[in-house]
Amino acid sequence: SQTIHQWPATLVQPVGSPLSLECTVEGTSNPNLYWYRQAAGRGLQLLFYSVGIGQISSEVPQNLSASRPQDRQFILSSKKLLLSDSGFYLCAWSVRATGELFFGEGSRLTVL
Amino acid sequence: ILNVEQSPQSLHVQEGDSTNFTCSFPSSNFYALHWYRWETAKSPEALFVMTLNGDEKKKGRISATLNTKEGYSYLYIKGSQPEDSATYLCALIQGAQKLVFGQGTRLTINP
Protein backbone atom coordinates (compact mmCIF):
# COMPACT_ATOMS: atom_id res chain seq x y z
CA SER A 1 0.00 0.00 0.00
CA GLN A 2 1.05 3.59 -0.56
CA THR A 3 2.23 5.80 2.27
CA ILE A 4 3.41 9.38 2.48
CA HIS A 5 5.58 10.90 5.16
CA GLN A 6 6.71 14.44 5.76
CA TRP A 7 8.95 15.96 8.37
CA PRO A 8 9.59 17.69 10.63
CA ALA A 9 6.14 17.82 12.21
CA THR A 10 6.73 21.14 13.93
CA LEU A 11 9.42 23.75 13.85
CA VAL A 12 9.99 27.24 15.14
CA GLN A 13 12.41 29.33 13.12
CA PRO A 14 13.65 32.91 13.37
CA VAL A 15 13.03 35.38 10.56
CA GLY A 16 15.79 35.16 7.97
CA SER A 17 16.72 31.56 8.71
CA PRO A 18 16.58 28.79 6.07
CA LEU A 19 13.90 26.14 5.77
CA SER A 20 13.79 22.59 4.51
CA LEU A 21 10.69 20.39 4.66
CA GLU A 22 10.91 16.93 3.22
CA CYS A 23 8.28 14.57 1.89
CA THR A 24 8.61 11.00 0.65
CA VAL A 25 6.11 8.61 -0.89
CA GLU A 26 6.30 4.83 -0.78
CA GLY A 27 4.45 2.16 -2.68
CA THR A 28 3.89 4.00 -5.95
CA SER A 29 6.02 5.24 -8.80
CA ASN A 30 5.99 8.51 -10.76
CA PRO A 31 3.34 10.18 -8.59
CA ASN A 32 2.21 13.76 -8.97
CA LEU A 33 3.46 15.58 -5.88
CA TYR A 34 2.17 18.75 -4.23
CA TRP A 35 2.95 21.25 -1.50
CA TYR A 36 0.01 23.09 0.04
CA ARG A 37 -0.06 25.67 2.82
CA GLN A 38 -2.81 26.68 5.18
CA ALA A 39 -2.15 30.10 6.66
CA ALA A 40 -4.07 31.14 9.78
CA GLY A 41 -7.77 31.51 9.03
CA ARG A 42 -7.40 30.58 5.38
CA GLY A 43 -7.98 27.60 3.13
CA LEU A 44 -5.45 25.34 1.45
CA GLN A 45 -3.25 27.23 -0.98
CA LEU A 46 -1.35 25.32 -3.64
CA LEU A 47 2.33 26.30 -3.56
CA PHE A 48 4.06 23.87 -5.92
CA TYR A 49 3.30 20.74 -7.86
CA SER A 50 5.45 18.29 -9.77
CA VAL A 51 4.59 15.74 -12.44
CA GLY A 52 8.08 14.22 -12.61
CA ILE A 53 11.70 14.41 -11.45
CA GLY A 54 13.06 17.92 -11.83
CA GLN A 55 9.70 19.27 -13.05
CA ILE A 56 8.34 21.90 -10.68
CA SER A 57 5.45 24.27 -11.24
CA SER A 58 5.14 27.27 -8.95
CA GLU A 59 1.72 28.67 -8.23
CA VAL A 60 2.42 31.65 -6.01
CA PRO A 61 5.38 34.05 -6.27
CA GLN A 62 7.15 33.96 -2.92
CA ASN A 63 10.46 33.26 -1.27
CA LEU A 64 9.86 29.51 -1.20
CA SER A 65 11.17 26.95 -3.67
CA ALA A 66 10.63 23.25 -4.28
CA SER A 67 12.75 20.47 -5.67
CA ARG A 68 12.19 16.87 -6.67
CA PRO A 69 15.60 15.20 -6.68
CA GLN A 70 14.15 11.68 -6.80
CA ASP A 71 10.90 10.22 -8.10
CA ARG A 72 9.26 9.95 -4.69
CA GLN A 73 10.93 12.80 -2.83
CA PHE A 74 9.67 16.37 -2.71
CA ILE A 75 11.44 19.13 -0.79
CA LEU A 76 10.20 22.59 0.16
CA SER A 77 12.89 25.15 0.90
CA SER A 78 13.56 28.74 1.69
CA LYS A 79 16.84 30.62 1.99
CA LYS A 80 15.38 33.31 4.27
CA LEU A 81 12.08 32.88 6.06
CA LEU A 82 9.58 35.70 6.48
CA LEU A 83 6.98 36.09 9.22
CA SER A 84 4.30 35.49 6.57
CA ASP A 85 5.70 32.02 5.89
CA SER A 86 4.18 30.77 9.14
CA GLY A 87 1.50 28.18 8.59
CA PHE A 88 0.65 24.53 8.24
CA TYR A 89 2.33 22.84 5.27
CA LEU A 90 0.96 19.71 3.69
CA CYS A 91 2.61 17.45 1.16
CA ALA A 92 0.40 15.26 -1.01
CA TRP A 93 0.53 12.81 -3.87
CA SER A 94 -2.25 12.03 -6.31
CA VAL A 95 -3.65 9.07 -8.17
CA ARG A 96 -3.21 10.03 -11.83
CA ALA A 97 -6.46 8.46 -12.99
CA THR A 98 -8.73 10.36 -10.60
CA GLY A 99 -6.57 13.17 -9.22
CA GLU A 100 -7.52 12.12 -5.68
CA LEU A 101 -5.01 13.52 -3.19
CA PHE A 102 -3.41 11.65 -0.31
CA PHE A 103 -1.88 13.93 2.28
CA GLY A 104 1.05 13.65 4.63
CA GLU A 105 0.82 14.39 8.32
CA GLY A 106 1.64 18.06 7.92
CA SER A 107 4.36 20.38 9.21
CA ARG A 108 3.53 23.37 11.39
CA LEU A 109 5.98 26.20 10.87
CA THR A 110 6.15 29.20 13.17
CA VAL A 111 8.42 32.03 12.14
CA LEU A 112 9.30 34.43 14.95
CA ILE B 1 -7.30 32.04 -11.47
CA LEU B 2 -9.94 29.46 -10.64
CA ASN B 3 -12.34 30.61 -7.92
CA VAL B 4 -13.89 27.92 -5.74
CA GLU B 5 -16.36 29.27 -3.19
CA GLN B 6 -17.79 27.41 -0.23
CA SER B 7 -20.67 28.47 1.99
CA PRO B 8 -21.24 28.85 4.79
CA GLN B 9 -17.78 29.31 6.28
CA SER B 10 -18.90 27.74 9.53
CA LEU B 11 -21.93 25.87 10.76
CA HIS B 12 -23.16 24.65 14.13
CA VAL B 13 -25.65 21.79 14.04
CA GLN B 14 -27.41 19.90 16.79
CA GLU B 15 -26.62 16.21 17.04
CA GLY B 16 -29.18 14.22 15.10
CA ASP B 17 -30.09 17.05 12.73
CA SER B 18 -29.31 16.92 9.04
CA THR B 19 -27.36 19.62 7.25
CA ASN B 20 -25.91 20.59 3.91
CA PHE B 21 -23.47 23.08 2.46
CA THR B 22 -22.41 24.34 -0.92
CA CYS B 23 -19.43 24.50 -3.22
CA SER B 24 -19.64 26.88 -6.20
CA PHE B 25 -17.26 26.96 -9.14
CA PRO B 26 -16.98 28.26 -12.72
CA SER B 27 -19.02 25.96 -14.95
CA SER B 28 -16.74 26.22 -17.98
CA ASN B 29 -13.98 23.66 -18.64
CA PHE B 30 -15.08 21.38 -15.82
CA TYR B 31 -13.05 18.22 -15.28
CA ALA B 32 -13.68 16.90 -11.76
CA LEU B 33 -14.67 18.01 -8.28
CA HIS B 34 -13.48 16.49 -5.03
CA TRP B 35 -14.81 16.66 -1.47
CA TYR B 36 -12.41 16.20 1.45
CA ARG B 37 -12.97 15.98 5.19
CA TRP B 38 -10.33 17.51 7.43
CA GLU B 39 -10.57 16.57 11.09
CA THR B 40 -8.60 18.39 13.75
CA ALA B 41 -5.07 17.03 14.22
CA LYS B 42 -5.39 14.86 11.13
CA SER B 43 -4.74 15.24 7.41
CA PRO B 44 -7.50 15.85 4.85
CA GLU B 45 -9.08 12.67 3.49
CA ALA B 46 -11.05 12.30 0.29
CA LEU B 47 -14.79 11.70 0.56
CA PHE B 48 -15.88 11.84 -3.06
CA VAL B 49 -14.48 12.32 -6.55
CA MET B 50 -17.21 13.54 -8.89
CA THR B 51 -16.89 13.92 -12.63
CA LEU B 52 -20.29 13.80 -14.34
CA ASN B 53 -23.12 16.30 -14.31
CA GLY B 54 -25.89 14.86 -12.18
CA ASP B 55 -23.51 12.64 -10.21
CA GLU B 56 -24.80 11.61 -6.81
CA LYS B 57 -22.46 9.78 -4.46
CA LYS B 58 -23.05 8.40 -1.00
CA LYS B 59 -20.88 7.13 1.83
CA GLY B 60 -22.85 6.15 4.90
CA ARG B 61 -24.77 9.22 6.12
CA ILE B 62 -22.87 11.59 3.81
CA SER B 63 -23.85 12.22 0.21
CA ALA B 64 -22.99 14.71 -2.49
CA THR B 65 -24.53 15.96 -5.72
CA LEU B 66 -22.98 17.72 -8.67
CA ASN B 67 -24.37 20.22 -11.19
CA THR B 68 -21.65 21.16 -13.66
CA LYS B 69 -23.93 23.26 -15.87
CA GLU B 70 -24.76 25.72 -13.11
CA GLY B 71 -21.46 25.25 -11.27
CA TYR B 72 -22.31 23.90 -7.82
CA SER B 73 -22.08 20.83 -5.62
CA TYR B 74 -23.92 20.11 -2.40
CA LEU B 75 -22.68 17.97 0.47
CA TYR B 76 -25.39 16.50 2.73
CA ILE B 77 -25.00 14.93 6.15
CA LYS B 78 -27.98 13.05 7.51
CA GLY B 79 -28.44 12.62 11.26
CA SER B 80 -25.26 14.48 12.29
CA GLN B 81 -23.03 12.84 14.88
CA PRO B 82 -20.21 14.40 16.94
CA GLU B 83 -17.63 12.56 14.81
CA ASP B 84 -18.84 14.53 11.79
CA SER B 85 -17.28 17.67 13.25
CA ALA B 86 -14.57 18.69 10.79
CA THR B 87 -13.77 21.13 8.02
CA TYR B 88 -15.20 20.04 4.68
CA LEU B 89 -13.23 21.13 1.63
CA CYS B 90 -14.18 21.03 -1.99
CA ALA B 91 -11.54 21.18 -4.71
CA LEU B 92 -11.63 21.55 -8.47
CA ILE B 93 -9.15 20.07 -10.87
CA GLN B 94 -7.61 22.71 -13.09
CA GLY B 95 -5.50 21.17 -15.81
CA ALA B 96 -2.54 18.81 -15.19
CA GLN B 97 -4.35 17.36 -12.19
CA LYS B 98 -3.81 20.50 -10.14
CA LEU B 99 -6.41 20.80 -7.39
CA VAL B 100 -7.63 24.22 -6.30
CA PHE B 101 -9.39 24.22 -2.93
CA GLY B 102 -12.19 26.33 -1.56
CA GLN B 103 -11.91 27.94 1.86
CA GLY B 104 -13.84 25.13 3.50
CA THR B 105 -16.92 24.85 5.71
CA ARG B 106 -16.15 24.26 9.37
CA LEU B 107 -18.87 22.04 10.82
CA THR B 108 -19.39 21.67 14.57
CA ILE B 109 -21.89 19.16 15.90
CA ASN B 110 -23.31 20.09 19.29
CA PRO B 111 -24.19 17.10 21.51
Side-chain angles (χ1 to χ4, degrees):
Chain A
S1 64
Q2 302 89 357
T3 57
I4 179 170
H5 300 288
Q6 65 176 101
W7 65 93
T10 59
L11 65 165
V12 179
Q13 296 285 102
V15 170
S17 64
L19 171 73
S20 180
L21 300 179
E22 189 164 342
C23 172
T24 59
V25 180
E26 297 176 0
T28 187
S29 59
N30 197 26
N32 287 346
L33 295 173
Y34 305 82
W35 279 109
Y36 283 89
R37 176 174 65 194
Q38 184 193 34
R42 302 184 65 180
L44 281 178
Q45 179 186 37
L46 179 62
L47 301 176
F48 302 95
Y49 69 98
S50 171
V51 299
I53 295 174
Q55 300 178 61
I56 309 294
S57 295
S58 174
E59 290 299 300
V60 182
Q62 57 210 337
N63 68 320
L64 299 173
S65 62
S67 61
R68 185 171 177 173
Q70 299 180 41
D71 181 45
R72 290 170 289 176
Q73 184 185 27
F74 205 23
I75 298 172
L76 182 70
S77 305
S78 174
K79 292 182 179 178
K80 288 186 177 182
L81 284 168
L82 306 173
L83 286 173
S84 58
D85 292 323
S86 293
F88 189 65
Y89 290 80
L90 282 164
C91 179
W93 72 277
S94 73
V95 176
R96 288 189 185 273
T98 65
E100 180 179 345
L101 288 177
F102 295 87
F103 288 90
E105 304 94 333
S107 300
R108 184 163 300 282
L109 170 65
T110 303
V111 182
L112 301 176
Chain B
I1 296 178
L2 193 63
N3 203 22
V4 181
E5 300 281 348
Q6 290 188 247
S7 63
Q9 285 190 345
S10 66
L11 194 55
H12 290 255
V13 175
Q14 204 65 29
E15 181 178 352
D17 289 350
S18 297
T19 187
N20 65 85
F21 28 92
T22 307
C23 175
S24 302
F25 52 87
S27 56
S28 59
N29 298 319
F30 176 85
Y31 183 77
L33 181 134
H34 296 195
W35 280 101
Y36 290 81
R37 175 167 60 197
W38 193 358
E39 297 178 68
T40 303
K42 294 184 178 180
S43 300
E45 291 184 345
L47 287 171
F48 305 113
V49 175
M50 309 181 79
T51 56
L52 298 175
N53 183 44
D55 254 357
E56 292 188 26
K57 298 214 171 179
K58 187 175 181 181
K59 185 181 290 187
R61 294 178 292 98
I62 304 177
S63 60
T65 60
L66 177 67
N67 184 322
T68 60
K69 293 184 178 180
E70 297 185 29
Y72 64 84
S73 175
Y74 292 139
L75 189 79
Y76 301 89
I77 301 178
K78 184 178 179 181
S80 303
Q81 299 297 309
E83 59 264 29
D84 297 327
S85 294
T87 296
Y88 291 83
L89 299 165
C90 73
L92 209 65
I93 290 187
Q94 182 188 26
Q97 297 192 340
K98 180 178 70 174
L99 262 73
V100 177
F101 282 86
Q103 296 287 83
T105 292
R106 178 172 289 191
L107 176 65
T108 303
I109 307 302
N110 300 317

